[in-house]
Structure formats: structure tokens, C-alpha cells
Amino acid sequence: MLSVLVAFGVRCLLVGLFLPFSALDKVLNFKQAAAQASQAVSNRVVAAVLIACGLGVEVVMSAAILTGVADRLAAFILAGYCIVTALLWKQFWKEPDFRLKGASAGRDVFWDFMKNVALAGGFLMLAFGSDATGVKRFIHHPLQSSRPYIISETAHEQ
């Protein structure tokens, strides 16, 4: 039972940024989120649709990871989501004051960018596992669950 709780807790830590926090922020501050998205796309309607889609990705994929239902595919999708959001909204290279030493908003954005990339790495580890056979298994069976809450060793080897 402890191993199941630890597995669930680790998954909660991984998706905690999205569910509940980012998803709730998008619901409570939808207009502000759409305004931020309109910095990346000029059309406000498209920006609002992107925020709605992002909300759906955050909720549905996080729930899939927590429940273990198609969790590897969900983790792969969230990894892509992290990379896309880093490229769209964490553009440290566009900051005029990017410096390695001293106060720098650009360096702060750089660290946010790197946190998104690192989170994507965590999701890819969940999607593929920790070895090359996991990548092959994912490619051939992307909807297969990682079966995160199975305790039996024999059931895990199948």
C-alpha cells in the first residue's frame, strides 16, 4: 500500500503545476490568460481558443496521469505542451537585459524556460521509462498504461 501511495504522490508532484493550479488560474483569470496568449498570436479569438485548449490539455492529461489511464500518451502530450509553452512564453532570448551576472529579467525568464524543459523531461521519463526499450514500447503501444498502481512483480513484467 505504501508503494501505491508513493507512486500516486510522485504523479501528484509531477502534474501539480497543471492540476489544480494552472488550470484553476486559467478558469479564474481567463481574460488575462487570453491577453497573454494574444502576445504570441495576434487574433484574440485564436488566443482564447488556445487558452481553452490548454485548459483541456492540463485537466485531461493530468487526470490521465493520475489515474494511469493512457498515462504514457498523456505524459508525452504534456511534455510537448511544456516545450511549446516554453518556446511561446519564456523567450529569454528576446529579453533586452539578459545578463549572466547581476539583476536581469531575461535571466529570470531563462530559468522559467529551463524549468519548463526540465518538466518536459520528467514527463518524457514517465512516457518512455528509463531505458531504450521503453521508447520502442511507447511507439508500438502509445495508449498502453504504465500500470502505475500494480504491486505484483509478475504483473509488472507483462
Side-chain angles (χ1 to χ4, degrees):
M1 183 65 173
L2 178 62
S3 59
V4 170
L5 291 174
V6 169
F8 183 72
V10 167
R11 286 166 179 262
C12 286
L13 290 174
L14 195 56
V15 302
L17 173 66
F18 301 112
L19 187 66
F21 299 110
S22 181
L24 186 59
D25 186 55
K26 282 177 179 59
V27 170
L28 296 176
N29 301 297
F30 190 84
K31 286 182 182 180
Q32 291 85 352
Q36 180 187 21
S38 68
Q39 294 171 3
V41 285
S42 56
N43 187 315
R44 299 250 324 154
V45 174
V46 173
V49 169
L50 286 175
I51 294 301
C53 289
L55 174 63
V57 166
E58 291 177 357
V59 171
V60 173
M61 298 306 133
S62 294
I65 288 172
L66 291 175
T67 61
V69 176
D71 57 337
R72 295 182 320 136
L73 180 60
F76 184 77
I77 291 169
L78 276 175
Y81 181 77
C82 288
I83 297 295
V84 168
T85 57
L87 292 171
L88 290 177
W89 287 285
K90 307 299 181 190
Q91 298 178 353
F92 66 91
W93 56 90
K94 288 187 175 181
E95 294 293 324
D97 73 336
F98 183 77
R99 292 186 294 281
L100 295 176
K101 189 173 181 182
S104 168
R107 194 174 67 247
D108 293 342
V109 176
F110 169 77
W111 288 117
D112 288 342
F113 178 90
M114 291 307 297
K115 288 176 188 175
N116 273 40
V117 171
L119 188 56
F123 284 123
L124 289 173
M125 181 76 78
L126 182 60
F128 299 143
S130 60
D131 58 26
T133 60
V135 176
K136 184 177 179 181
R137 186 172 51 247
F138 177 80
I139 290 169
H140 292 311
H141 306 287
L143 294 176
Q144 187 179 45
S145 171
S146 68
R147 303 172 70 181
Y149 308 119
I150 301 294
I151 296 174
S152 168
E153 285 295 319
T154 58
H156 221 312
E157 292 172 354
Q158 292 179 358

